[in-house]
Amino acid sequence: MEFLWDIQNKLKKSGLWLLGPIVMCYFIYHTISGDRGLLKYIYLKQEIVKAEKVAEQYSLQKKELEEKVKHLSNASLDLDLLEERARIVLNMANDDEFILLDEED
């Protein structure tokens, strides 16, 4: 039993008893704010949510474009849509039409 008392006394005198709390503080700090800590985990979760919203927007935009392309295919050519797109792209109008331009601020 004296052997244990001797070890305890030597540890108290050497200052190694400070090492335990220092090591604990180190691990607690890196658990919270390290590269793989809780704060980084929360940040990455928010980034995933934002990326999923952007992916959903692009998916909807892709579906809209696919629908327009479907109308321009040879099987079902929508002449009104074709004329509208040609006028927009070529900036043209018929002679008997009036064009009203909006002023941009």
Side-chain angles (χ1 to χ4, degrees), residues 12-59:
K12 287 180 183 177
K13 290 178 183 177
S14 68
L16 287 178
W17 59 274
L18 290 174
L19 187 62
I22 291 172
V23 170
M24 274 185 16
C25 290
Y26 172 82
F27 283 113
I28 290 171
Y29 171 77
H30 284 287
T31 300
I32 294 172
S33 65
D35 287 341
R36 297 180 183 180
L38 295 174
L39 296 177
K40 186 71 166 187
Y41 176 76
I42 293 168
Y43 170 75
L44 290 176
K45 281 289 193 182
Q46 291 172 349
E47 289 294 315
I48 288 171
V49 169
K50 289 178 187 176
E52 286 175 347
K53 287 180 183 177
V54 170
E56 182 67 27
Q57 290 174 351
Y58 283 135
S59 176

Side-chain angles (χ1 to χ4, degrees), residues 1-101:
M1 199 62 152
E2 282 185 32
F3 178 70
L4 293 175
W5 287 107
D6 288 339
I7 292 175
Q8 284 181 349
N9 287 334
K10 287 181 183 180
L11 285 176
K12 287 180 183 177
K13 290 178 183 177
S14 68
L16 287 178
W17 59 274
L18 290 174
L19 187 62
I22 291 172
V23 170
M24 274 185 16
C25 290
Y26 172 82
F27 283 113
I28 290 171
Y29 171 77
H30 284 287
T31 300
I32 294 172
S33 65
D35 287 341
R36 297 180 183 180
L38 295 174
L39 296 177
K40 186 71 166 187
Y41 176 76
I42 293 168
Y43 170 75
L44 290 176
K45 281 289 193 182
Q46 291 172 349
E47 289 294 315
I48 288 171
V49 169
K50 289 178 187 176
E52 286 175 347
K53 287 180 183 177
V54 170
E56 182 67 27
Q57 290 174 351
Y58 283 135
S59 176
L60 292 174
Q61 184 179 8
K62 179 184 173 191
K63 287 178 184 179
E64 290 173 3
L65 291 174
E66 286 175 349
E67 187 67 28
K68 286 184 178 183
V69 168
K70 184 176 80 172
H71 288 298
L72 293 175
S73 68
N74 290 336
S76 64
L77 184 61
D78 187 4
L79 295 178
D80 292 332
L81 182 61
L82 180 63
E83 180 183 0
E84 177 188 342
R85 292 304 307 155
R87 287 177 185 229
I88 291 172
V89 171
L90 299 175
N91 289 327
M92 299 187 79
N94 289 334
D95 292 334
D96 61 343
E97 294 179 344
F98 293 104
I99 299 174
L100 301 175
L101 300 175

